[in-house]
């Protein structure tokens, strides 16, 4: 089953995601990648990063908020051609 989506759009989306992830502080980037891309639980992520579950939650929350900001800015730039 195909989505009808242009494969070039997927490449552009992945590139944009890589760029905004690179702007996050290292620990936030690690937490969000392990939680949302590797599918690890909070406990598994805390174990992998050798930190507390609370720290993982805080890093993930801050990272997701920042990603929303960065991706929102990028969408605005793309729409307005900036």
């Amino acid at each position: 089953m195909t989505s009808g989506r242009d494969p070039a759009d997927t490449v552009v989306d992945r590139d944009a995601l890589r760029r905004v992830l690179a702007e996050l502080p290292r620990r936030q980037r690690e937490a969000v990648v392990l939680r949302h891309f590797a599918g690890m639980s909070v406990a598994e992520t805390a174990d992998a990063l050798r930190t507390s579950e609370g720290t993982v939650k805080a890093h993930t929350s801050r990272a997701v908020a920042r990603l929303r900001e960065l991706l929102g800015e990028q969408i605005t730039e793309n729409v307005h051609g900036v």
Side-chain angles (χ1 to χ4, degrees), residues 44-56:
E44 291 168 330
T45 302
D47 228 20
L49 297 178
R50 295 185 175 151
T51 193
S52 72
E53 291 183 22
T55 299
V56 168

Side-chain angles (χ1 to χ4, degrees), residues 13-67:
D13 290 347
R14 286 183 182 165
D15 183 56
L17 185 56
R18 279 190 193 108
R19 280 189 274 125
V20 295
L21 282 170
E23 293 191 36
L24 295 176
R26 182 180 58 89
R27 294 300 273 185
Q28 287 182 17
R29 184 173 52 252
E30 291 169 343
V32 80
V33 167
L34 292 175
R35 291 280 296 124
H36 294 284
F37 295 99
M40 291 179 143
S41 69
V42 171
E44 291 168 330
T45 302
D47 228 20
L49 297 178
R50 295 185 175 151
T51 193
S52 72
E53 291 183 22
T55 299
V56 168
K57 290 177 184 178
H59 284 318
T60 303
S61 176
R62 288 183 194 117
V64 169
R66 183 65 181 141
L67 288 172

